[in-house]
Amino acid sequence: MFDVRSYRKAASVGQALTLLAADPEARPMAGGTNALFKLRRGSEAFRSLVDIAGLPELPGIALDPDGGLRIGAGVTFRELAASPLVAEKARCLAEAALAMGGPQLRARATLGGNLCGGGHCAACRRCRYPRCPAAMVGADGPAPLLALDARAEIAGRAGKRLVPLGQFWTAPSRTAVARDELLLGVVIPAASLGAPGSGYVKYAMRAAMDTATFGCAALCRLDGGRIAGLRLACVMAGPTPRRLPKAEAVAPGRLPDAATFAAMAAAAAGEAAPRADWQGDVDFRLHIIRRQIEALLAAVARRAEDA
Ligand SMILES: Cc1cc2nc3c(=O)[nH]c(=O)nc-3n(C[C@H](O)[C@H](O)[C@H](O)COP(=O)(O)OP(=O)(O)OC[C@H]3O[C@@H](n4cnc5c(N)ncnc54)[C@H](O)[C@@H]3O)c2cc1C
């Protein structure tokens, strides 16, 4: 049984914002794959729902006039994974979209829901929190978008604002989107698009339908056979999705070889702060972080060399 106290279907973003403002208990629901999961497990957080699925302002993947890529919050993971534009311009995001869940989940789950409350906390297996937080743990969307330097477009009743994704996850289970606001979409700047050295790696306990034990995206640019720039972003190496600046700082000017990748992976493990939970203890997670990052860096450097 779903213990729903109220359900309202919004016809526009404006109406959804009005409904959210009118009821302090109300929460938006997009695909519902996370919200209904938590409700089913006894969470009180989603008893008052404002359904935003299918709002005309939220879909769409398109280049904007200055060459950036805009992806609506209502875009599903199936649409992301199938988009030729995403595959060509943001390969790490296309790979993350395909790594997410399974076909049924991807058909329903939206990017907005993933960034605002995707994944589920480790406690979800036995979750009886009186007010389940909209946990932002182990989701596949954040790392590639962080590596791509994307900004979130957020709408409130006072208007719209853009927030760099580096400032989007403010604390565990908290985002820059206030309870009575909506994420409209993300914008990836033109300068981040089309890098051939782009990729995503996910380590999970199961091959499908599982949130990441560790997920990492990388963007690598070579110049004259040396690394000119490298961005690394991940989930599950700390309480919120994050870039790994100390590991990134190792790369510039170095050869894209095993020694560089090992040094970067060691720096990443040094700045990571993974937690211990049912998926693994801290040592196991640090081992996974090192190995996955080394493998990812080798793959993206090869792609950059082959381009
Ligand atoms: C069995 C199972 C496997 C899963 N596997 C994965 C996986 O492999 N990878 C992964 O990343 N996730 C996984 N998930 C988690 C989840 O399905 C996804 O993260 C999904 O993208 C959530 O999107 P949704 O549209 O269904 O969000 P919803 O459930 O509708 O909403 C989730 C949260 O986001 C908020 N929200 C939604 N849209 C907006 C918006 N536009 N503005 C503001 N707030 C908003 C809601 O209020 C809620 O707090 C899994 C879930 C299950 C049940």
Side-chain angles (χ1 to χ4, degrees):
M1 280 293 293
F2 292 104
D3 189 6
V4 177
R5 185 170 60 80
S6 89
Y7 169 89
R8 276 149 309 174
K9 174 90 183 140
S12 66
V13 165
Q15 192 191 11
L17 293 174
T18 304
L19 290 170
L20 289 170
D23 176 0
E25 297 289 308
R27 295 254 192 134
M29 179 177 75
T33 61
N34 219 14
L36 293 179
F37 177 84
K38 287 176 176 167
L39 192 61
R40 184 86 166 81
R41 295 215 165 202
S43 162
E44 291 174 7
F46 295 98
R47 289 198 182 149
S48 183
L49 295 169
V50 174
D51 190 344
I52 59 168
L55 290 189
E57 298 98 325
L58 299 185
I61 303 173
L63 290 173
D64 59 25
D66 58 10
L69 184 64
R70 188 184 186 287
I71 305 174
V75 165
T76 64
F77 274 79
R78 180 169 68 184
E79 289 165 335
L80 264 185
S83 163
L85 207 49
V86 174
E88 182 199 332
K89 303 278 184 190
R91 183 169 178 174
C92 58
L93 181 59
E95 290 183 352
L98 255 189
M100 194 273 191
Q104 290 155 310
L105 199 74
R106 289 196 288 272
R108 186 79 211 159
T110 65
L111 182 64
N114 194 263
L115 300 181
C116 292
H120 43 257
C121 63
C124 268
R125 292 191 153 196
R126 50 185 182 283
C127 182
R128 289 292 180 268
Y129 287 157
R131 292 186 66 80
C132 181
M136 179 52 257
V137 182
D140 289 301
L145 288 166
L146 268 174
L148 289 160
D149 251 348
R151 286 175 299 166
E153 194 185 0
I154 298 170
R157 298 218 299 157
K160 292 181 193 173
R161 62 200 166 97
L162 283 171
V163 175
L165 276 199
Q167 295 161 26
F168 186 79
W169 295 282
T170 51
S173 309
R174 294 284 172 268
T175 71
V177 186
R179 192 207 55 80
D180 57 355
E181 291 184 317
L182 284 179
L183 177 67
L184 295 184
V186 293
V187 183
I188 304 170
S192 295
L193 296 174
S198 168
Y200 179 73
V201 69
K202 172 177 182 174
Y203 182 92
M205 308 302 276
R206 294 186 306 223
M209 297 298 277
D210 203 357
T211 47
T213 303
F214 177 65
C216 189
L219 235 61
C220 171
R221 201 161 43 81
L222 299 180
D223 190 7
R226 290 184 179 266
I227 301 176
L230 206 140
R231 294 191 207 148
L232 209 51
C234 58
V235 288
M236 300 303 281
T240 57
R242 56 178 297 193
R243 291 272 290 269
L244 293 166
K246 290 185 180 159
E248 289 178 353
V250 172
R254 290 186 63 154
L255 288 170
D257 58 15
T260 300
F261 304 148
M264 288 186 67
E271 65 185 310
R275 67 182 187 196
D277 63 21
W278 65 273
Q279 286 173 319
D281 61 20
V282 169
D283 285 345
F284 172 72
R285 284 179 180 280
L286 289 173
H287 173 76
I288 294 300
I289 288 170
R290 260 187 236 106
R291 291 288 163 268
Q292 295 291 310
I293 286 182
E294 275 187 75
L296 175 63
L297 292 174
V300 296
R302 218 168 21 248
R303 286 174 182 176
E305 279 166 349
D306 292 347

